[in-house]
Amino acid sequence: MNGPKGMPSNSIVDSGTNSLNLPPQMLKAVISKFSSAQQTLLTQSILDNKLVCAADVQTGWPTLTFILQGNTADVSQVAPSDYLQVNTLKVGAAVSAITKGVRGFRFLGCR
């Protein structure tokens, strides 16, 4: 994604949120990079709002790497322990801290 003309970044980081909110197209691309079993668990958690078994998310999950255009560091990594939350809503269960955002903005013009 390219930032708007004259803007130093194509990304927004909201450090006051507890989730990684991705637009639908990016979410689909990210989920596609996981194994099929992991895709199933992520889909259940993110899209179907279901808790999954914490034992199923303990090992073998990758660190996510995002390349963000900015004035300083351009790469941000998110560990599985940050995007998979265990024992938060129920002991023995896990939920993804990745959420499905809204589509991109559409410019309607100015008055």
Side-chain angles (χ1 to χ4, degrees):
M1 292 174 44
N2 294 323
K5 288 185 178 181
M7 301 302 282
S9 177
N10 64 348
S11 308
I12 296 173
V13 176
D14 179 0
S15 61
T17 187
N18 63 350
S19 65
L20 183 59
N21 193 278
L22 302 176
Q25 186 176 7
M26 183 180 286
L27 177 61
K28 184 177 179 181
V30 168
I31 290 175
S32 75
K33 300 298 181 186
F34 288 87
S35 72
S36 59
Q38 291 169 335
Q39 287 180 30
T40 298
L41 292 171
L42 285 172
T43 298
Q44 288 174 344
S45 180
I46 299 168
L47 301 177
D48 300 336
N49 295 317
K50 293 183 180 177
L51 296 175
V52 297
C53 183
D56 293 337
V57 300
Q58 294 298 318
T59 60
W61 289 75
T63 296
L64 301 179
T65 301
F66 293 91
I67 300 173
L68 308 171
Q69 179 185 3
N71 291 331
T72 57
D74 289 338
V75 175
S76 180
Q77 294 190 324
V78 183
S81 59
D82 293 326
Y83 68 84
L84 295 168
Q85 304 292 305
V86 296
N87 299 325
T88 56
L89 300 174
K90 182 178 178 184
V91 174
V95 65
S96 175
I98 300 171
T99 58
K100 180 181 177 183
V102 296
R103 293 180 183 227
F105 293 99
R106 189 172 62 129
F107 183 59
L108 299 176
C110 299
R111 291 182 189 224

